[in-house]
Amino acid sequence: MTTLALSALFALLLWWASTGIVLYLDQRPRPTHARSLGGASVVGGLALAGLVATRDLATVGGACLAFTCAVLVWGWHEMSFLTGRVTGPRRQACADGCGGWRHFRHAVEAIIHHELALAATLVLVVALAWGAANQVGAATFALLWTMRLSAKLNLFLGVRNPGTELLPGHLQYLASFFGRRPFNALLPVSVAATTLLVAWLAQRALGASTPFEATAWGLVAALAALALLEHLFLILPWSVARLWGWSGDPAGPGPAPSPVVAVAGASPLPDGRPRALEPKR
């Protein structure tokens, strides 16, 4: 029980801190994004090397390190997505009234490059851990991928609290692909399946025969519990952004208004203001 509690605490703190750091960096001014993504790329590369280094390290420390490395690799993808560097060919909101498969196709076009990058990384991480004694990294990344895919499908189908405030200003167009409804048919299936997964993983952690197995199962169980919590936030009338209030406004400031220049010699407007002309772009 102590091992499970410590594993859960470690996973919670890592999830909370890493998410907050990504949100903080992504809502900084756009000129800083290239530097932030460059730093994240270095960290992601080192994390991939860490997954290789820990593949046969069947210890408590090896489990924690592999788990951390998988989360850091995932964080690199989040950075590349939220900075707008790796999203999809469609970078505009969906038109009002668009629906059905056409609307779904537009939603896929908006994020397809990100999805393909995640899928390719999943294959790579699983390949790196194939036949190894320490499978924590692969299990962690696979769980993150599965749970995020479930969340995205639920967002598209419609939820009560889509969390659009977590989108930075330059990605607010993605909110047009989020459905708005109190319930969709997939959500209870997702919640029930994740609940069963959490229970099974926790049982494996409690019944583990070695400290490594207890830690490994405990870390993945805690991550599944956090994924369950994220799904529940989709239906609760409470902003998940409050968990990372220290990172600032996740949506960031909107675009600055375009400057105007007065037209020399032009007659004033009826309210007395000079006529203005937006500069050419």
Side-chain angles (χ1 to χ4, degrees):
M1 180 64 74
T2 301
T3 301
L4 179 59
L6 291 176
S7 298
L9 179 61
F10 179 81
L12 173 62
L13 291 176
L14 182 62
W15 167 81
W16 177 76
S18 60
T19 302
I21 291 171
V22 169
L23 291 175
Y24 173 79
L25 293 175
D26 286 330
Q27 56 126 339
R28 296 299 92 198
R30 294 297 296 275
T32 69
H33 287 178
R35 184 168 64 251
S36 297
L37 186 56
S41 298
V42 173
V43 173
L46 292 174
L48 281 174
L51 290 176
V52 175
T54 58
R55 67 188 307 273
D56 292 315
L57 191 59
T59 64
V60 171
C64 292
L65 185 56
F67 180 83
T68 301
C69 288
V71 171
L72 291 177
V73 173
W74 183 268
W76 178 85
H77 281 286
E78 290 294 285
M79 281 288 299
S80 66
F81 178 74
L82 290 175
T83 56
R85 296 300 197 273
V86 183
T87 54
R90 184 182 181 90
R91 294 176 178 264
Q92 62 188 37
C94 212
D96 292 338
C98 183
W101 284 107
R102 183 165 176 260
H103 184 51
F104 179 76
R105 188 182 78 247
H106 290 164
V108 172
E109 289 173 351
I111 61 172
I112 187 60
H113 296 161
H114 174 63
E115 294 303 315
L116 291 175
L118 284 175
T121 305
L122 174 61
V123 172
L124 174 62
V125 170
V126 171
L128 291 175
W130 195 264
N134 186 352
Q135 298 280 338
V136 175
T140 298
F141 200 91
L143 180 62
L144 286 167
W145 181 82
T146 303
M147 292 295 99
R148 183 55 58 88
L149 182 61
S150 172
K152 288 174 182 174
L153 289 174
N154 277 290
L155 286 171
F156 176 80
L157 293 174
V159 293
R160 179 179 183 180
N161 182 19
T164 54
E165 67 276 12
L166 292 176
L167 289 173
H170 55 275
L171 291 182
Q172 283 295 317
Y173 66 90
L174 292 176
S176 67
F177 302 105
F178 295 175
R180 296 278 187 167
R181 63 183 66 178
F183 178 84
N184 74 72
L186 177 62
L187 188 55
V189 176
S190 298
V191 171
T194 308
T195 301
L196 291 175
L197 178 62
V198 172
W200 180 74
L201 291 170
Q203 184 181 26
R204 294 299 299 265
L206 292 173
S209 57
T210 67
F212 166 72
E213 291 180 353
T215 303
W217 289 109
L219 288 169
V220 181
L223 187 62
L226 291 170
L228 175 60
L229 182 63
E230 289 183 341
H231 277 73
L232 293 176
F233 273 129
L234 298 177
I235 57 178
L236 295 175
W238 191 81
S239 174
V240 69
R242 296 179 184 178
L243 293 174
W244 298 283
W246 53 271
S247 69
D249 179 14
S258 300
V260 296
V261 287
V263 182
S267 59
L269 295 170
D271 61 2
R273 293 182 290 112
R275 293 187 181 277
L277 178 68
E278 288 196 7
K280 292 182 179 180
R281 302 185 182 277

